[in-house]
Amino acid sequence: MNFLEKYQKEFAQYDKLDHDFIDENKIWAQLNKWKNPSKADVRIVLKKAEQCIRLEPEETAILLQNKDESMLHEMYELAHQLKEDVYGDRIVFFAPLYISDECANNCAYCGFRSSNTAMRRKTLTMEEIEQEVRIMIEEGQKRTVLVYGESPATQVDFMCDSIKKVYSVKTEHGEIRRANINCAPLTAEELRKLKKVGIGTFQVFQETYHHETYRKMHPQGTIKGHYRWRLYCMDRAQEAGVDDNGIGVLFGLYDWRFEVMGLLYHTIHLEENFNGVGPHTISFPRITPATGTPFSINPQYAVSDSDFKKLVAILRLSVPYTGLICTAREPDKVRREVIPFGVSQIDAGTRIGVGAYAQSIKANELPDKEQFTINDPRSLDGVVSEICDMNCIPSFCTACYRAGRTGEQFMKVAKSKFVHNFCIPNAIFTLKEYLIDYASPETKAKGEQVLKRHIERFKGETVYQTIQENLNRIENGERD
Ligand code: SAM
Ligand code: SF4
């Protein structure tokens, strides 16, 4: 059986459904009903959001349709407060690791699409993966997301081998402690294999929840052309025990308000079917130009910087317990603006070509064959330094995942604000390790100030003593 046939057999279960959980008429009816909400309407929703409760679609529609500047200001303030309440002021760092750009799909917007002849294809060998990981570790990375195209070269057994390889690399300073993956939707059986090798978050972005736009962007006859195979992939993940999932939208394909509603409906669908466990993270990339890909965004759907800011804040208010990831596709200025009201994870030191970490070290430049353009190419050290300037605390923590606090367990601790008391000390320890092992003198000085301020907050609490002891151990060379 060839590659495509294997999945086509699986499609049948979804083809026979007479509808799926994205009801476009309902979404538009909700958005249209609230075309011009009053201040009072918006305030009622904000009052509910204040309690850190996931919003209902009609409530999110009210926020999405708000046009009043003063209410927008209140939304930003509350989004910031919720972020502080649930996540504290820590920002978790990661960097992507591109494993393969071979792809049988032909997504209109992506540099890896099969019809892009400008791209010379490559899948890393195990030795090359090791080389990339060593460079990442030496730069200070502890968390990564492995990225794959969808092709016979990167089927699940290869993915498992590549994950095992990433975890096996140890250097003087440590190792990658959490490997998430971003790949094509898989069968439940394949997902079970990934679970066994210890993947972190399993990410698949729907790209667009709008059925017709999805069809236009993803040619029929390709695996990715099947909307529902992708839409229900997190259901299969949950069934397979992979309970730490990341969903997302590629903004710029369709109306951004509709897409936020789609993300919310997806969250509700998962919560309703899997014991209240929604997605662990939501990603919201905006399309950027890709090598050899003359895709032009329909101006009607382009997401301006100010709308982007709104959508991040509205996501934070709508799904207070879901991590929000803002990647280096965004320029540093935009990242700086959106971090305060919602973002919990960012990448830094990012290279997005296959073999790009090794290439950038040799040539000291960005690789020539990226999937798309990144707009924040700064080093990890540079971004850590800036996060310190913003008075936030950079974190490289992977403790929840290693202690098995994923899925339902993670939701429980997040909802009890345990994250705040448990994660800040871990951010303190992992930042300390980073400052000793990797930071430039300037970042180190700033980081020490951030540590000092954060440690002081625990004065008078029993945990204060433990924090001091752990910091002493780290200074004496012990590593987690
Ligand atoms: N091949 C897998 C898939 O499509 O699901 C996973 C990897 S794909 C390389 C990761 C994500 O990159 C896609 O889901 C899409 O949202 C995003 N992406 C693709 N082209 C992009 C572009 N031109 N600009 C920004 N993001 C893009
Ligand atoms: Fe392939 Fe993913 Fe790019 Fe589509 S977005 S062409 S599936 S790598």
Side-chain angles (χ1 to χ4, degrees), residues 428-446:
I428 291 175
F429 306 142
T430 55
L431 177 59
K432 183 74 183 175
E433 288 183 358
Y434 177 83
L435 297 180
I436 295 174
D437 293 341
Y438 310 103
S440 64
E442 194 199 349
T443 303
K444 193 167 178 176
K446 286 183 191 171

Side-chain angles (χ1 to χ4, degrees), residues 11-69:
F11 294 167
Q13 59 183 306
Y14 301 110
D15 290 339
K16 62 180 186 232
L17 299 178
D18 61 4
H19 65 282
D20 53 54
F21 60 83
I22 298 296
D23 182 339
E24 291 175 12
N25 292 334
K26 193 167 162 189
I27 292 178
W28 276 119
Q30 286 166 329
L31 286 167
N32 289 332
K33 179 175 168 193
W34 294 102
K35 261 205 160 123
N36 255 318
S38 67
K39 279 188 187 197
D41 296 327
V42 178
R43 281 226 169 87
I44 291 171
V45 179
L46 295 185
K47 218 53 230 139
K48 175 170 174 188
E50 253 174 49
Q51 301 165 57
C52 269
I53 300 174
R54 199 257 299 131
L55 298 181
E56 293 302 325
E58 203 157 322
E59 293 162 338
T60 294
I62 292 175
L63 300 183
L64 287 165
Q65 295 291 43
N66 168 62
K67 295 177 186 76
D68 183 294
E69 278 299 316

